[in-house]
Amino acid sequence: MTSPTSPEEPWPVRTVARKIAEWINRLGSIWVEGQITQISMRPGAATAFLQLRDPSADVSLTLTCSSAMLRKMDPPLTDGSRVVVHGKPTFFVGRGTLSLRVDEIRAVGIGELLARIERLRQLLKAEGLFDPARKRPLPFLPNRVGLITGRASAAEHDVLTNAELRWPAVQFEIRNVAVQGSSAVPQILEALQELDKMPEVDVIVLARGGGSVEDLLPFSDEALCRAVSACRTPVVSAIGHEPDSPLLDHVADVRCSTPTGAGKRVVPDVAEETQRIHQLRDRARRALHGWVDRERRLLDALRSRPVLADPLGPLAQRAEQVGMLRDRARRAMTTALNTEQHALTATRSRLTTLGPAATLARGYAIVQRIEDGADGVLRSVDEAPPGTRLRVRVVDGAIQAVVPDRAG
């Protein structure tokens, strides 16, 4: 590919294929890990063909190797085997296909798989995917339950049966997928994304029966764990039996040891909830009756008080008290007036007794002669000669002056 082409001077197919092969042949050898999905080895053929698949993605690569090397594998390779291969990319000009020419195949043992799972566990834990704080609670009564499991599997039967026994009206949205092998992770991821986008699905259950470590490997896949962590819908993990613990159990919001436990966990028990409703209703009834009785006793106590039993009685008592106080005030005022009247009468009597009017009323007079008076007013009767007739001037009952009667 040293010069550009044009519609007038195009390259033939052989030239393009040859140049691509030359470019790929310059690539070096590499180590690749994957899962064997297909083995094609014809009797007597020197070359065997295999398909190597990425467990976490729908991507595969063709492998070619010598049939003799493949026959010497112990244990023999089968579909689903996890392997690490060493080879060189090769482009076949005649067929226009790309493959990896393999010169060494190593089966990944259980110990190595477990070690890889443990390393991935530590990585996800460090990133916080196992943190209990990020786990979401399950809804009390989901509108619809999403179920991802194998087709016609015992796990599907256990989840459906136990959930319907507890809540007969429960509704499921089921997605049947491969739960082991090379196609398990892509199918589970697709079903998970589909259910997570459905607004009516309130919880998603991933269920599978027990199996070997190799069978449960898809549920420890990094891509699946991250997809479950990113779901907006709560996810329940029900993989294998109690001793099984794939990484999905730690990432999911709720972990159930078996599919049976998941069926009992996602929905409430209708019998228990009915009994609880009856208990709460009885408690409410007792509380209401107790409150009514307490208020009734309070009303009876208030009604039995004198102010409410005889509301006019206090008014009558107050009216009687007002009358008594009024009588006391009248008597006190009368007594005070009588006392003052008696005192006034006594004073008047004394004044009358001591005044000249009383003396005059008895026929007596006391006069005085004033020598220097123009009228010759006497200050005393003794000053007049005996036999002198006196004239007495009385004004308003009082002697105003006594003078000699000159006419006489």
Side-chain angles (χ1 to χ4, degrees):
M1 300 182 184
T2 57
S3 60
T5 61
S6 64
E8 291 75 16
E9 297 180 358
W11 283 352
V13 175
R14 61 181 181 275
T15 303
V16 176
R18 186 181 70 253
K19 289 185 177 294
I20 292 176
E22 291 175 354
W23 185 81
I24 291 179
N25 288 335
R26 289 197 297 268
L27 300 176
S29 298
I30 54 174
W31 288 95
V32 182
E33 179 186 0
Q35 191 174 30
I36 299 296
T37 60
Q38 182 180 352
I39 301 176
S40 177
M41 185 172 58
R42 298 178 181 178
T47 302
F49 297 90
L50 304 88
Q51 287 291 327
L52 187 66
R53 186 184 184 89
D54 190 324
S56 302
D58 190 13
V59 178
S60 61
L61 182 64
T62 302
L63 306 181
T64 59
C65 65
S66 63
S67 300
M69 182 181 66
L70 197 60
R71 294 189 186 96
K72 292 179 181 179
M73 292 291 298
D74 187 19
L77 290 182
T78 58
D79 289 347
S81 299
R82 296 288 291 267
V83 296
V84 176
V85 300
H86 181 266
K88 186 176 184 303
T90 304
F91 185 80
F92 292 93
V93 177
R95 296 193 299 271
T97 58
L98 177 68
S99 66
L100 191 66
R101 182 65 182 179
V102 176
D103 54 24
E104 184 176 354
I105 300 177
R106 296 181 183 179
V108 178
I110 298 299
E112 186 174 354
L113 288 176
L114 294 177
R116 293 182 181 181
I117 292 175
E118 182 60 28
R119 288 194 296 270
L120 180 58
R121 183 195 307 273
Q122 296 300 327
L123 175 62
L124 298 180
K125 182 178 181 181
E127 293 181 8
L129 270 65
F130 298 169
D131 189 359
R134 58 163 296 277
K135 297 184 182 298
R136 294 153 296 186
L138 299 184
F140 170 71
L141 183 59
N143 180 40
R144 189 178 292 269
V145 179
L147 177 59
I148 301 175
T149 186
R151 184 179 302 277
S153 61
E156 179 181 358
H157 177 268
D158 292 343
V159 173
L160 296 178
T161 300
N162 286 276
E164 291 174 354
L165 285 176
R166 290 173 60 85
W167 197 269
V170 63
Q171 297 182 0
F172 281 91
E173 191 72 29
I174 302 175
R175 295 294 182 270
N176 295 121
V177 298
V179 292
Q180 69 181 54
S182 58
S183 60
V185 173
Q187 293 185 19
I188 295 175
L189 289 174
E190 182 181 358
L192 186 66
Q193 294 174 359
E194 181 181 353
L195 292 177
D196 190 42
K197 293 179 181 178
M198 300 177 65
E200 63 272 17
V201 174
D202 295 331
V203 61
I204 300 175
V205 179
L206 285 169
R208 187 201 189 284
S212 62
V213 176
E214 295 89 339
D215 294 338
L216 301 180
L217 278 179
F219 299 97
S220 292
D221 185 81
E222 181 178 2
L224 179 58
C225 291
R226 295 188 182 278
V228 170
S229 176
C231 279
R232 63 172 183 84
T233 308
V235 178
V236 177
S237 173
I239 308 302
H241 302 300
E242 181 65 34
D244 300 323
S245 182
L247 297 183
L248 183 64
D249 287 349
H250 303 282
V251 180
D253 298 289
V254 175
R255 186 251 181 184
C256 295
S257 58
T258 60
T260 299
K264 296 179 179 179
R265 182 68 178 81
V266 293
V267 292
D269 188 350
V270 64
E272 293 179 359
E273 297 305 320
T274 303
Q275 182 180 3
R276 183 177 293 108
I277 291 175
H278 291 163
Q279 292 175 353
L280 293 176
R281 187 169 57 187
D282 293 340
R283 287 177 56 187
R285 183 185 297 109
R286 290 193 300 269
L288 181 59
H289 288 174
W291 178 80
V292 171
D293 294 340
R294 184 168 59 255
E295 297 299 322
R296 181 177 297 168
R297 288 193 297 269
L298 178 60
L299 290 176
D300 292 341
L302 293 175
R303 191 169 54 187
S304 64
R305 293 182 179 180
V307 68
L308 292 180
D310 184 14
L312 299 180
L315 296 178
Q317 294 178 2
R318 294 298 180 185
E320 184 178 356
Q321 292 178 1
V322 170
M324 293 174 58
L325 293 175
R326 185 174 57 192
D327 293 340
R328 286 176 57 186
R330 182 182 294 112
R331 288 194 300 270
M333 182 62 67
T334 302
T335 302
L337 291 176
N338 291 335
T339 302
E340 296 299 327
Q341 183 68 34
H342 292 159
L344 182 60
T345 303
T347 302
R348 181 185 298 171
S349 298
R350 287 197 303 272
L351 292 176
T352 302
T353 302
L354 297 178
T359 303
L360 292 175
R362 290 193 302 269
Y364 296 95
I366 300 175
V367 296
Q368 291 181 344
R369 181 179 179 180
I370 302 175
E371 293 180 355
D372 55 355
D375 295 333
V377 178
L378 302 178
R379 293 186 180 276
S380 175
V381 179
D382 295 338
E383 298 179 359
T388 301
R389 297 182 64 180
L390 301 177
R391 182 182 295 174
V392 179
R393 187 187 300 169
V394 179
V395 179
D396 293 334
I399 296 175
Q400 193 176 57
V402 178
V403 299
D405 189 1
R406 301 184 183 278

